[in-house]
Amino acid sequence: MNKKGQALVEFVIILPIAMLLIFSIIDLGRLLYAKNDLDNVTTDVSLLYKNGNDIDEIKNAVKKENDYDVDIDISQRDDYTLVVVKRDLKPITPGLNYIADKVFNIEASRVVYND
C-alpha cells in the first residue's frame, strides 16, 4: 500500500477548496476596507461641498487622492444634503465571477444638515 499516493490524492482534493476559502477571505477583507474608505471619502466630499466647491472639482480631488474613480451623487433638499459615493471593486478570487457578478458595487452615503 502506497501512503504517499493517498496523501497526494487527499491534497489534490482539498487544495481547490482551501484556495477558494483563502481568496474569498481576502476578497471580504478588501470589500470591508473599500467600504470603510468610501465612508471616509463621503465625509471629505460632504465637507468640500459644504465649503462651496464644484462637483467636478470634488471628483478630481477624490481621484487624485485615492487612485480610483468614484461616482458622486449630491442631492440637495430643503433642510439637508444627501451625498452618495459609489465605487466598483473587482474580486480577485478565481471563479467567484461565475458565482457572483463580475464586480462588487460599493456605496456609502451621508446626510449633511444645512445650517
Side-chain angles (χ1 to χ4, degrees), residues 7-75:
L8 181 63
V9 170
E10 290 174 358
F11 179 73
V12 168
I13 291 172
I14 295 298
L15 182 66
I17 297 168
M19 293 301 288
L20 182 68
L21 183 66
I22 290 170
F23 280 115
S24 297
I25 290 170
I26 292 171
D27 266 342
L28 179 65
R30 290 178 62 230
L31 188 66
L32 292 174
Y33 178 79
K35 173 68 173 157
N36 186 32
D37 192 32
L38 272 188
D39 285 336
N40 293 336
V41 167
T42 307
T43 303
D44 295 342
V45 167
S46 63
L47 289 174
L48 288 172
Y49 185 73
K50 201 169 188 179
N51 289 335
N53 292 329
D54 191 336
I55 295 175
D56 291 330
E57 293 174 0
I58 295 170
K59 283 183 181 180
N60 290 335
V62 169
K63 185 175 180 181
K64 185 177 181 182
E65 185 177 325
N66 296 316
D67 295 336
Y68 54 78
D69 288 329
V70 294
D71 294 329
I72 300 173
D73 182 29
I74 299 174
S75 58

Side-chain angles (χ1 to χ4, degrees), residues 26-35 37-38 68-69 86-92 96 101-107:
I26 292 171
D27 266 342
L28 179 65
R30 290 178 62 230
L31 188 66
L32 292 174
Y33 178 79
K35 173 68 173 157
D37 192 32
L38 272 188
Y68 54 78
D69 288 329
K86 298 177 185 176
R87 175 184 173 202
D88 293 335
L89 183 70
K90 291 185 178 183
I92 61 168
L96 189 62
D101 288 336
K102 297 194 184 295
V103 294
F104 297 121
N105 298 317
I106 307 167
E107 180 178 314

